[in-house]
Amino acid sequence: MSVSIFSDALVDGDVIPQAVAELLHITPSELAATLGLSREAVANSDRVRSAPVQARLRELEDILNHILPWAGSPHAAYAWYRSQSLPSLGGAPPEQLVRDGRADDVRHYLERLAEGGFA
């Protein structure tokens, strides 16, 4: 089993946004925008542990875990996530696709690449 990119950002099984932001060298506000969430969703301790916020953080985690082996660092994986156009998914970057509820499409795209398929 591989180690999660966010292993140091877990507390009682929940991903902690502040720790994720520190890992990626961004502000919590930037993390919230990346996830398509409000600043309060990643700052308020009650909302941070809510299912919708944790689901978005887990989507980001899963995609970055796929990218990390060839990106080389969490920061490089995050840069790819934010900016890489995915032609077979309409040319949008993973960040936009995840915000639009299409994380599964991004995961399938990455699985196809890992199996030697075309983008």
Side-chain angles (χ1 to χ4, degrees):
M1 180 179 204
S2 64
V3 176
S4 168
I5 192 171
F6 292 167
S7 60
D8 291 338
L10 296 174
V11 173
D12 297 328
D14 288 330
V15 179
I16 305 303
Q18 180 64 37
V20 171
E22 289 173 15
L23 172 76
L24 299 175
H25 305 288
I26 60 174
T27 67
S29 294
E30 289 170 317
L31 178 62
T34 295
L35 298 172
L37 299 171
S38 69
R39 168 71 174 104
E40 293 75 32
V42 299
N44 180 294
S45 61
D46 292 329
R47 292 186 65 192
V48 161
R49 295 180 183 265
S50 72
V53 172
Q54 286 298 305
R56 267 306 152 84
L57 286 162
R58 294 295 183 173
E59 290 169 346
L60 174 64
E61 174 186 34
D62 188 41
I63 292 167
L64 292 181
N65 278 335
H66 275 88
I67 300 165
L68 185 61
W70 48 265
S73 72
H75 192 263
Y78 180 67
W80 184 94
Y81 176 85
R82 296 216 46 223
S83 63
Q84 181 63 47
S85 173
L86 304 182
S88 64
L89 296 176
E95 174 186 33
Q96 182 62 50
L97 293 163
V98 171
R99 278 197 312 242
D100 292 345
R102 297 183 61 196
D104 284 340
D105 292 340
V106 176
R107 285 187 197 105
H108 291 131
Y109 171 90
L110 293 169
E111 288 166 5
R112 276 194 324 268
L113 288 180
E115 294 170 355
F118 292 101

